[in-house]
């Protein structure tokens, strides 16, 4: 009875009452769609404008759109199988747009794609191919969600997702079936109506569910700020960060409504994975809940019913969430924004936090140690002072200047520079770059530190900076921009990688597992240089999570200076993962990571691998010199 | 309850101090200044009293124009208004002279409580607050860690030696000098700084206050302590050497 035709069968014509019914149904469906979508759109437009928004560089936006939306690159890359299934559904939808338009037009007797015409015939087949992959894709996603049930999709089964999957599947099947039914039969008619009804039911569901991302996320990706963890400047005298609905900008609102609840952010979040209250997906959904209840003109505090202060201050700012999010949501400006809102107004009451802020208000470093100790170290390690004649200013950072292990790393890196014959000097006075206060949302102290350092550098005529600390690099290169132009700055891994051919090679190769610091990898896109440095001195092994998926050490976001964590310690989880590779040595490239693992491995006792910075790994191969001192 | 807090601007904790050409004061150019530490605690105590009992906190400081930044800092932390006795020449005034300035500036305010830090981080006389009390004819107590307002007046916690504390009752008005460490200091906030911009700072001068105190105590010279490194080798076996070391630590280094 059914057989494949050379093209798809379309109904020959419709009764007048059918046309009326169809019109009425379209109107109802569109009305139901608008009922919700109009509300969301209104909230987005009512929200505060993003003062720092620039459309330029347009090229970047177009590319992001093409790559992340059209090609689904991020969706596929970060979760290949479900990603591909999703991509097929998406491409199917795109290919279907024309078919659907024509389908509706046929209802009014004005179809424009003729099944017999050359283009029509081609296009219907073309769409059929996509319909097939789309049907397979959605079936796959259904199996994953309802049978495999990955943890990060949430504990509750979402029946609406199941229903949506069913509708998409039905859409494809009712389309494909049109190739098999005899032309002019009632079956053609029935299929047309089935397909139509599926579409008209699907449409209003979109804005009422997370499928809103179908409509919003292309815009979200296109409009995203672009820079990683880009924290918008505060505008005017009344802006202290995100305190209430009135502080949520249009971008923040758009992002809150775009979340597709995929849980990728949570899957990679060190806080969520170690039993803390923080869950980045819930942060975004919390904002959405807030906007639903109070709207962008809401005066209620954001931290309260929908998001908690506790959670917001558990973030290490590792950036995994922002890096992973397939719809362009930027978590860090949101999380740090809410921190700003409570810190800038003095609402955040935390003993350790206050101590850190006071140390940086009154003193020069985050560790709260007298600067005289820094001078002593400089003298002991015989580091030359920067006088404007040297090529590099070697920036010590708080850890490099005051932490015993940090000092060893600085001294060893200085040996490497000396060996290479690169001239360098250290500043007599250096203040914390402001990284911890920036991430904790203390704009006052951050500004003071940034300005005072920028001034000192201009005075000293610093042209190039190199430092052992990725946090310093990031803060100088990006966060200081608001207050002036910092000299060119690079991380010691970049410096050493460039000069590898002039450094001695290792004779004996040990196995080294390299830990990517968040602020070097995701924040700066430097993955290969430190690995090159490791490879020159050992055999590189990789931890299970590495590169852009590296798992945080737990120190970032100012957390190194706050009190005890709740739940499991992030550093212990990561240290165990590094040790599990069986590598003899753990290579770090950040003094904060180093100090976190130092404590974690100390708890492990004898069996722990040795822990060295990649500068130390390199310095070991240098011929002994008598003048160097460490402590 | 109206509280006046007298604060002093001192060189930043980590400042590298150099003696100026005349040898009477330090080289001030390129210097960073901050609020005297025990004054910061006095301010904190005042702010907490205000939070509990209501009222007003007025900060008072004497010195050149730069002192204004420390007054602003206090306003940013929550003080309501400021009074600055502006003068460039206070460097060689003694504690009595400065106390007269502060007392005269405070007198017309008729405050319930006058607080100062125990002593300044730079000169460390430890007298100014006590003299102010005397000049204003107020009962006073020093080395105070905590102040509580009662129906009858005040109950204060005083620090004694070796971990002992004393609890004292005083009538109001009174003057107290505050010891560091009794409270947790609050951090400065962006909002506080912005609000401080609109708060009133009244300026006055020693002449306007009618104070021309010639110094009773004059400062002759200040000097950096001389760095000395002397190494002594102790001879003999471990036992004798240890004995000799203990002896030297007792009599020469006086650390035991
Ligand atoms: S930045 Fe890292 S710690 Fe913070 S919410 Fe995102 S994934 Fe979690
Ligand atoms: S914020 Fe992004 S990554 Fe997280 S659940 Fe929503 S869409 Fe997924």
């Amino acid at each position: 009875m059914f057989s494949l035709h050379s093209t798809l069968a379309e109904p020959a014509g419709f009764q007048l009452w059918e046309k009326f019914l169809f019109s009425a149904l379209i109107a109802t469906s569109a009305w139901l769609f608008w009922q919700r979508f109009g509300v969301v759109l209104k909230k987005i437009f009512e929200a505060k404008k993003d003062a720092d928004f620039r459309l330029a560089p347009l090229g970047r936006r177009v590319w992001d759109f093409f790559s992340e939306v059209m090609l689904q690159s991020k969706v596929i890359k970060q979760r290949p199988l479900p990603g591909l299934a999703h991509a097929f559904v998406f491409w199917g939808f795109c290919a279907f747009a024309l078919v659907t338009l024509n389908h509706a037009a046929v209802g009014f007797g004005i179809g424009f794609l003729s099944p017999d015409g050359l283009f029509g015939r081609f296009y219907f087949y073309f769409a059929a191919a996509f319909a097939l992959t789309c049907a397979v894709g959605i079936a796959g996603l259904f199996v994953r969600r309802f049978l495999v049930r990955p943890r990060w999709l949430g504990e509750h089964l979402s029946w609406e997702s199941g229903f949506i999957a069913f509708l998409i599947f039905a859409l494809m099947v009712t389309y494909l079936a049109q190739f098999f039914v005899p032309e002019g039969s009632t079956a053609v008619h029935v299929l047309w109506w089935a397909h139509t009804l599926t579409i008209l039911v699907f449409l209003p569901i979109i804005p009422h569910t997370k499928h809103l991302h179908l409509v919003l996320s292309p815009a979200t990706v296109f409009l995203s700020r672009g820079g990683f963890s880009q924290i918008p400047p505060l505008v005017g005298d009344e802006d202290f960060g995100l305190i209430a609905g009135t502080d949520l900008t249009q971008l923040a609102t758009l992002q809150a409504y775009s979340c597709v609840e995929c849980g990728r952010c949570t899957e990679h979040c060190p806080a969520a994975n170690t039993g803390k209250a923080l869950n980045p997906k819930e942060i975004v959904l919390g904002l959405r809940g807030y906007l639903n209840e109070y709207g962008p003109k809401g005066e209620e505090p954001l931290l309260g019913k929908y998001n908690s202060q506790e959670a917001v201050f558990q973030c290490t700012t590792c950036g995994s969430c922002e890096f992973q999010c397939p719809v362009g949501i930027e978590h860090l400006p949101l999380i740090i924004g809410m921190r700003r809102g409570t810190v800038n107004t003095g609402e955040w009451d935390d003993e350790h936090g206050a101590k850190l802020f006071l140390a940086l208000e009154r003193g020069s470093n985050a560790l709260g140690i007298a600067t005289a100790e820094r001078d002593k170290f400089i003298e002991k390690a015989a580091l030359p002072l920067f006088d404007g004649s040297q090529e590099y200013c070697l920036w010590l950072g708080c850890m490099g200047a005051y932490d015993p292990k940090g000092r060893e790393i600085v001294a060893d890196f200085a040996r490497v520079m000396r060996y290479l014959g690169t001239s360098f000097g250290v500043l007599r006075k250096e203040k914390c770059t402001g990284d911890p206060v920036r991430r904790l949302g203390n704009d006052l102290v951050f500004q003071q530190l940034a300005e005072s350092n920028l001034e000192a550098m201009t005075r000293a005529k610093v042209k190039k900076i190199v430092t052992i600390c990725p946090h310093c690099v990031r803060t100088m290169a990006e966060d200081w921009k608001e207050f002036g132009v910092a000299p060119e700055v690079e991380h010691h891994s970049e410096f050493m990688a460039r000069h590898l051919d002039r450094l001695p090679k290792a004779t004996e190769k040990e196995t080294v597992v390299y830990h990517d610091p968040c602020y070097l990898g995701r924040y700066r896109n430097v993955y290969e240089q430190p690995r090159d440095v490791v490879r020159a001195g050992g055999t590189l092994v990789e931890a299970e999570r590495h590169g852009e998926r590296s798992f945080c050490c737990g120190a970032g976001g100012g957390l190194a200076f706050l009190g005890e964590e709740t739940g499991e310690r992030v550093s212990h989880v990561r240290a165990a993962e590094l040790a599990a590779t069986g590598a003899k040595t753990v290579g770090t490239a950040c003094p904060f990571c180093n100090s976190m693992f130092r404590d974690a491995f100390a708890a492990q006792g004898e069996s722990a691998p040795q822990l060295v910075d990649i500068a130390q790994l390199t310095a070991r191969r240098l011929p002994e010199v008598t003048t160097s001192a460490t402590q | 309850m109206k509280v006046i807090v007298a604060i002093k601007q001192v060189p930043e904790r980590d400042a590298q101090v150099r003696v100026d050409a005349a040898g009477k004061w330090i080289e001030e150019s390129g210097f960073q200044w901050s609020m005297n530490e025990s004054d910061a605690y006095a301010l904190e105590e005042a702010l907490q009293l205000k939070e509990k009992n209501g009222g007003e906190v007025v900060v008072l400081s004497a010195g050149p124009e730069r002192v204004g930044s420390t007054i602003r800092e206090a306003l940013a932390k929550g003080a309501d208004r400021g009074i600055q006795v502006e003068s460039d020449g206070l460097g060689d005034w003694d504690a009595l002279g400065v106390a007269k300035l502060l007392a005269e500036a405070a007198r017309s305010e008729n405050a319930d409580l006058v607080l100062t830090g125990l002593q300044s981080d730079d000169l460390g006389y430890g007298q100014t607050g006590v003299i102010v009390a005397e000049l204003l004819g107020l009962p006073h107590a020093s080395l105070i860690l905590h102040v509580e307002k009662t129906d009858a007046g005040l109950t204060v916690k005083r620090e004694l030696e070796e971990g002992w504390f004393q609890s004292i009752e005083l009538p109001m008005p009174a003057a107290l000098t505050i010891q560091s460490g009794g409270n947790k200091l609050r951090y400065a906030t962006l909002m506080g700084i912005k609000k401080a911009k609109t708060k009133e700072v009244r300026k006055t001068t020693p002449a306007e206050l009618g104070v021309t105190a010639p110094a009773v105590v004059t400062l002759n010279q200040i000097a950096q302590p001389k760095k000395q490194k002397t190494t002594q080798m102790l001879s003999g076996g471990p036992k004798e050497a240890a004995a000799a070391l203990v002896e030297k630590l007792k009599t020469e280094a006086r650390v035991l």
Side-chain angles (χ1 to χ4, degrees):
Chain A
M1 181 177 116
F2 293 114
S3 65
L4 180 61
H5 308 287
S6 59
T7 185
L8 110 166
E10 280 186 342
F14 290 93
Q15 309 279 332
L16 193 60
W17 66 265
E18 281 183 307
K19 289 185 181 169
F20 272 119
L21 180 64
F22 182 41
S23 308
L25 287 176
I26 290 183
T28 316
S29 175
W31 181 77
L32 285 171
F33 175 86
W34 188 255
Q35 276 298 299
R36 176 65 188 153
F37 190 67
V39 172
V40 171
L41 221 52
K42 189 158 168 254
K43 287 190 199 262
I44 295 172
F45 281 108
E46 261 178 19
K48 178 174 144 183
K49 299 251 175 321
D50 290 85
D52 61 322
F53 183 81
R54 303 273 172 284
L55 205 56
L58 205 61
R60 195 264 308 161
R61 293 186 186 279
V62 173
W63 169 251
D64 282 357
F65 185 84
F66 178 71
S67 155
E68 287 176 28
V69 180
M70 298 314 292
L71 296 184
Q72 300 267 292
S73 60
K74 209 173 209 177
V75 181
I76 299 174
K77 188 166 176 218
Q78 297 301 331
R79 273 187 191 169
L81 263 184
L84 213 56
H86 179 274
F88 279 131
V89 176
F90 170 73
W91 292 327
F93 271 47
C94 294
F96 241 68
L98 200 61
V99 172
T100 304
L101 269 182
N102 179 67
H103 182 88
V106 166
F108 295 112
I110 48 167
F112 50 86
L113 277 183
S114 158
D116 303 320
L118 193 63
F119 179 71
R121 188 178 294 215
F122 157 75
Y123 199 84
F124 284 130
Y125 272 111
F126 175 73
F130 276 101
L132 211 61
T133 51
C134 176
V136 172
I138 199 72
L141 290 176
F142 182 89
V143 168
R144 171 167 177 269
R145 181 172 291 268
F146 289 93
L147 301 176
V148 183
R149 300 183 60 179
R151 182 164 55 92
W152 38 84
L153 286 180
E155 278 165 31
H156 300 289
L157 283 180
S158 150
W159 295 109
E160 81 190 30
S161 300
F163 184 56
I164 293 258
F166 166 74
L167 287 180
I168 296 176
F169 193 73
L171 268 182
M172 300 305 141
V173 170
T174 49
Y175 174 71
L176 290 171
Q178 292 176 61
F179 286 92
F180 295 90
V181 290
E183 220 153 323
S185 64
T186 10
V188 178
H189 223 77
V190 171
L191 271 181
W192 185 92
W193 269 111
H195 191 79
T196 304
L197 287 174
T198 319
I199 294 175
L200 294 179
V201 171
F202 186 52
L203 189 67
I205 293 183
I206 293 175
H208 285 93
T209 62
K210 64 183 186 179
H211 293 84
L212 186 55
H213 83 280
L214 260 71
V215 196
L216 292 185
S217 71
T220 318
V221 170
F222 184 77
L223 295 172
S224 69
R225 293 185 183 85
F228 194 72
S229 180
Q230 200 169 311
I231 301 161
L234 299 176
V235 187
D237 279 348
E238 294 299 317
D239 190 359
F240 300 109
L242 305 181
I243 300 172
T246 45
D247 298 306
L248 291 174
T249 63
Q250 295 184 328
L251 272 185
T253 310
L254 173 66
Q255 294 185 359
Y257 280 110
S258 302
C259 173
V260 59
E261 299 170 41
C262 67
R264 290 169 192 236
C265 49
T266 303
E267 181 190 347
H268 294 271
C269 172
N273 279 288
T274 52
K276 320 254 189 299
L278 171 62
N279 175 338
K281 168 171 146 182
E282 295 303 331
I283 293 271
V284 179
L285 295 182
L287 288 175
R288 183 192 290 179
Y290 179 98
L291 286 163
N292 281 339
E293 182 167 350
Y294 305 109
K297 299 266 179 256
E299 301 277 348
E300 281 297 304
L302 295 171
L303 294 180
K305 185 166 168 191
Y306 290 100
N307 275 312
S308 77
Q309 194 184 72
E310 184 195 3
V312 162
F313 280 94
Q314 285 172 336
C315 172
T316 68
T317 66
C318 76
S320 291
C321 49
E322 190 166 318
F323 188 88
Q324 284 288 333
C325 182
V327 298
I329 292 171
E330 293 157 318
H331 301 70
L332 285 164
L334 297 175
I335 292 174
I336 293 177
M338 287 189 270
R339 289 179 170 188
R340 288 169 121 181
T342 88
V343 170
N344 285 334
T345 52
E347 292 292 315
W348 187 49
D349 185 13
D350 180 274
E351 194 190 329
H352 300 279
K355 213 170 132 201
L356 171 73
F357 294 162
L358 285 164
L360 287 172
E361 255 174 53
R362 301 171 74 90
S364 63
N365 64 86
L367 285 78
I369 298 175
T371 37
E373 295 301 315
R374 181 176 183 273
D375 301 336
K376 278 189 210 155
F377 162 63
I378 291 174
E379 201 177 309
K380 229 172 186 175
L383 299 175
L385 287 177
F386 186 82
D387 57 16
S389 69
Q390 300 103 327
E391 183 180 357
Y392 280 96
C393 161
L394 173 60
W395 180 266
L396 301 186
C398 299
M399 293 298 274
Y402 299 97
D403 177 74
K405 188 67 192 275
R407 288 175 172 178
E408 283 174 28
I409 301 171
V410 163
D412 278 341
F413 179 58
R415 270 183 66 202
V416 175
M417 289 186 94
R418 282 200 182 99
Y419 177 84
L420 289 168
T422 310
S423 64
F424 67 92
V426 299
L427 290 178
R428 181 183 289 283
K429 273 190 176 180
E430 194 189 272
K431 284 192 171 180
C432 171
T433 58
D435 168 68
V437 283
R438 172 65 155 178
R439 316 295 156 208
L440 283 170
N442 189 327
D443 284 280
L444 175 66
V445 177
F446 175 64
Q447 176 169 359
Q448 283 167 358
L449 293 171
E451 282 175 348
S452 135
N453 278 318
L454 277 164
E455 197 194 302
M457 284 178 183
T458 316
R459 219 180 313 121
K461 301 200 170 55
V462 174
K463 299 261 161 11
K464 286 201 263 179
I465 300 173
V466 62
T467 176
I468 62 160
C469 178
H471 292 261
C472 294
V473 174
R474 151 74 196 203
T475 308
M476 293 195 242
E478 294 295 328
D479 298 273
W480 284 5
K481 275 186 188 157
E482 239 180 271
F483 308 105
V485 189
E488 197 184 305
V489 49
E490 69 176 340
H491 186 242
H492 73 334
S493 64
E494 298 167 87
F495 175 89
M496 288 188 290
R498 240 197 349 267
H499 294 101
L500 271 186
D501 51 345
R502 289 171 48 220
L503 288 164
K505 301 273 169 299
T507 41
E508 217 176 293
K509 293 216 163 187
E510 51 185 327
T511 50
V512 181
V513 56
Y514 171 67
H515 164 78
D516 290 272
C518 308
Y519 276 68
L520 193 61
R522 284 184 291 269
Y523 275 75
R524 195 171 163 80
N525 233 337
V526 170
Y527 299 106
E528 274 317 304
Q529 294 91 320
R531 286 185 165 72
D532 289 342
V533 175
V534 168
R535 282 193 204 101
T539 310
L540 175 73
V541 292
E542 295 286 7
E544 175 146 347
R545 291 183 272 198
H546 64 270
E548 51 203 30
R549 292 186 156 211
S550 177
F551 194 72
C552 185
C553 73
L559 264 54
F561 302 100
L562 302 189
E564 195 47 66
E565 304 174 32
T566 55
E568 228 176 331
R569 282 199 206 160
V570 175
S571 60
H572 285 206
V573 172
R574 180 58 173 169
E577 209 169 282
L578 294 170
T581 60
K584 290 247 155 37
T585 303
V586 170
T588 59
C590 169
F592 282 102
C593 300
N594 198 300
S595 102
M596 295 308 275
F597 296 148
R598 194 189 323 155
D599 298 343
F601 285 139
Q604 236 188 51
E606 292 282 292
S607 61
Q610 62 158 321
L611 179 68
V612 290
D613 187 271
I614 56 171
Q616 300 179 283
L617 215 55
T618 309
R620 278 183 191 172
R621 307 197 298 275
L622 302 180
E624 276 301 322
V625 272
T626 40
T627 52
S628 96
T630 44
Q631 286 289 314
Chain B
M1 175 174 201
K2 186 197 249 185
V3 187
I4 292 195
V5 189
I7 55 179
K8 183 176 186 184
Q9 189 182 52
V10 294
E12 199 182 50
R13 188 172 57 186
D14 283 334
Q16 304 201 338
V17 184
R18 271 168 302 147
V19 178
D20 72 2
K24 296 222 172 189
W25 192 232
I26 50 173
E27 192 55 60
E28 285 194 3
S29 62
F31 232 71
Q32 306 247 25
W33 303 86
S34 66
M35 193 185 300
N36 183 43
E37 184 166 28
S38 55
D39 294 346
Y41 282 94
L43 175 66
E44 181 61 40
E45 192 62 50
L47 294 173
Q48 293 197 8
L49 282 169
K50 179 184 132 181
E51 276 157 11
K52 255 178 252 145
N53 308 301
E56 193 187 22
V57 175
V58 183
V59 286
L60 167 62
S61 188
E65 201 189 335
R66 61 172 157 79
V67 168
S69 68
T70 297
I71 294 182
R72 287 276 163 227
E73 189 186 328
L75 295 178
K77 298 223 168 171
D80 300 285
R81 59 192 170 85
I83 304 171
Q84 179 177 0
V85 184
E86 199 173 325
S87 168
D88 287 336
L90 298 184
D92 52 7
W93 283 43
D94 61 7
L96 175 61
V98 175
K100 277 186 182 165
L101 285 179
L102 298 176
E104 286 320 310
R107 196 179 297 278
S108 58
E109 291 284 339
N110 289 318
D112 300 299
L113 193 59
V114 178
L115 302 183
T116 71
L118 178 70
Q119 61 183 19
S120 59
D121 297 339
D122 51 0
L123 293 175
Y125 291 146
Q127 296 179 18
T128 314
V130 185
I131 303 176
V132 167
E134 199 58 36
L135 291 170
L136 291 174
L138 297 175
H140 74 263
S142 55
L143 275 161
I144 303 305
L145 284 169
H146 185 64
V147 184
E148 196 144 340
K149 185 177 179 288
T150 58
D151 292 339
L154 299 167
T155 305
V156 300
K157 181 177 171 188
R158 252 194 108 219
E159 187 179 62
L160 302 178
E161 295 283 302
E162 299 197 321
W164 284 76
F165 298 103
Q166 193 178 36
S167 176
I168 312 178
E169 287 176 8
L170 285 96
M172 269 210 304
L176 306 168
T177 65
I178 305 291
Q179 166 73 309
S180 294
N183 279 310
K184 278 185 210 129
L185 297 180
R186 64 192 64 197
Y187 57 90
T189 67
L190 189 65
M191 188 188 236
I193 291 282
K194 298 233 154 131
K195 275 193 185 155
K197 278 190 196 156
T198 60
K199 289 180 181 170
E200 178 207 320
V201 178
R202 183 161 58 81
K203 291 201 177 182
T204 175
T205 60
E208 261 175 45
L209 295 169
V211 181
T212 47
V216 179
V217 179
T218 50
L219 186 76
N220 272 343
Q221 200 204 350
I222 60 170
Q224 294 265 15
K226 287 227 165 51
K227 252 195 195 167
Q228 266 187 352
K229 251 191 203 167
T230 43
T231 311
Q232 296 182 22
M233 298 303 288
L234 302 176
S235 51
K239 223 174 177 181
E240 297 90 72
L245 178 63
V246 170
E247 189 55 30
K248 284 193 182 291
L249 288 176
K250 261 190 198 154
T251 57
E252 287 177 30
R254 305 231 185 104
V255 292
L256 288 184

